Amino acid sequence: MKEIVEGKLIIIGGAEDKQGSKEILKEVCQSINKEKDLLVIATIATENPKEAGENYTKVFHELGVENISILNVKDREESHSEENINMLKKAALVFFTGGDQLRITSILGGTPLHEELKNSYIRGCIYVGTSAGASVMSSTMIVKGKDEESPKKCTLKMAPGLGLIDGVIIDQHFAQRGRIGRLLVGVAENPGTLGIGIDEDTAIIVDNKGVFNVLGSGAVYVIDGYNISYSNVSEQYQEELLSIFDVKMHVLKEGNGFNLLTRRPLEEEGYSNENS
């Protein structure tokens, strides 16, 4: 984990409320000056960028954001476009939609646009991701794994993410798709890494001190493998069930927080909007 997280991240487990109180998307919009700042919607992950862009533009306009641009990068050639790079330079907040997280990294990875993304984050641009856009925030991301099954050895496919936050693996649609087994496999393979599972319509808001607070109607699950005393993870007999001892799990709800540096949860009484 970085000593200090570079900037603010809002990481959403997918299927955030767009029709009712819009609690999470309101928090996104309140993070910037809605009259002056530029909010960029990055539709790179989805195969339906026009529809996704229009849907989120409508919601963000309804929530008072005046300046919105769409970053639709179809291939690596467009990741070298000065127009796209300049859009990120002007952005106060970038919102990654859902879709396929591997599309994001395979199109952006190692390009000038990816470099500008990292630079803009260090300068203070806020990055937000939902569903696939959530998984891609970390240095290592889950690409594929079996839902609603007992954990099995080496059944998880992982790949490098965008690298905006280190030391964690993020999974989304967590309880809804029964993903605890695959996140346990990820932690067993990387015991020094915290596994973070985020339910739908739920978000973590990460500040530059490495503390996150939970917002939304669901739960956030933090799996800590630091004190694992035994696991049978190996390349051999990959279809065997995973066996793992002394793994720790925290379950957090809205108002709870977590310090990624000390690996400790924060009680509801310790919640403060100043951390978000």
Side-chain angles (χ1 to χ4, degrees):
M1 184 69 200
K2 298 176 182 177
E3 185 177 350
I4 298 176
V5 177
E6 296 288 357
K8 181 174 180 177
L9 297 171
I10 302 176
I11 305 173
I12 309 167
E16 68 282 355
D17 174 23
K18 302 180 189 66
Q19 307 294 330
S21 64
K22 306 182 184 72
E23 184 179 15
I24 293 171
L25 295 180
K26 279 181 181 176
E27 172 67 25
V28 171
C29 296
Q30 288 167 358
S31 300
I32 61 174
N33 185 319
K34 292 188 280 188
E35 295 179 357
K36 297 180 180 179
D37 288 341
L38 175 64
L39 186 155
V40 171
I41 301 168
T43 58
I44 305 163
T46 178
E47 294 183 352
N48 300 298
K50 187 173 186 295
E51 180 182 354
E54 289 174 352
N55 288 342
Y56 277 108
T57 296
K58 180 175 182 293
V59 174
F60 290 137
H61 274 319
E62 289 172 351
L63 292 173
V65 179
E66 295 185 7
N67 302 307
I68 300 172
S69 294
I70 307 295
L71 180 65
N72 179 28
V73 184
K74 298 189 294 293
D75 53 40
R76 288 183 64 81
E77 182 179 351
E78 292 189 356
S79 290
H80 293 257
S81 160
E82 285 297 324
E83 181 181 353
N84 290 333
I85 292 168
N86 287 332
M87 189 187 300
L88 283 192
K89 287 181 178 178
K90 296 174 184 176
L93 185 148
V94 178
F95 184 99
F96 279 93
T97 70
D100 178 352
Q101 53 263 46
L102 203 55
R103 278 181 58 87
I104 299 174
T105 55
S106 63
I107 289 173
L108 295 186
T111 67
L113 190 59
H114 186 202
E115 194 63 29
E116 177 53 38
L117 183 154
K118 292 185 288 185
N119 290 338
S120 67
Y121 178 54
I122 292 169
R123 290 197 304 266
C125 182
I126 298 165
Y127 277 83
V128 183
T130 185
S131 189
S135 291
V136 81
M137 294 290 178
S138 55
S139 296
T140 302
M141 66 179 184
I142 294 176
V143 175
K144 187 177 182 182
K146 294 181 179 179
D147 297 344
E148 297 182 342
E149 285 194 9
S150 299
K152 294 181 179 179
K153 301 192 309 183
C154 299
T155 54
L156 194 66
K157 181 180 179 182
M158 291 190 285
L162 292 179
L164 300 181
I165 182 171
D166 283 339
V168 302
I169 302 170
I170 298 164
D171 211 350
Q172 17 77 16
H173 301 284
F174 196 68
Q176 290 75 19
R177 299 187 185 178
R179 287 180 165 173
I180 190 168
R182 74 182 204 172
L183 191 57
L184 281 167
V185 173
V187 171
E189 292 180 1
N190 303 272
T193 299
L194 289 167
I196 302 177
I198 308 175
D199 284 349
E200 293 178 354
D201 190 40
T202 308
I204 61 172
I205 302 164
V206 190
D207 70 11
N208 62 2
K209 299 179 183 68
V211 172
F212 74 71
N213 289 305
V214 179
L215 181 67
S217 62
V220 172
Y221 311 78
V222 181
I223 299 176
D224 187 350
Y226 186 79
N227 291 315
I228 288 173
S229 59
Y230 165 81
S231 77
N232 65 344
V233 167
S234 72
E235 284 288 344
Q236 291 184 313
Y237 314 114
Q238 295 185 12
E239 287 302 309
E240 282 188 355
L241 287 177
L242 174 71
S243 178
I244 183 171
F245 299 168
D246 295 312
V247 65
K248 182 187 295 184
M249 184 169 75
H250 309 279
V251 182
L252 312 175
K253 67 179 183 66
E254 182 171 75
N256 294 152
F258 194 89
N259 188 317
L260 294 165
L261 303 181
T262 64
R263 308 171 81 97
R264 292 297 304 161
L266 306 173
E267 294 182 11
E268 193 165 5
E269 291 77 10
Y271 174 75
S272 168
N273 283 323
E274 291 177 1
N275 287 331
S276 66

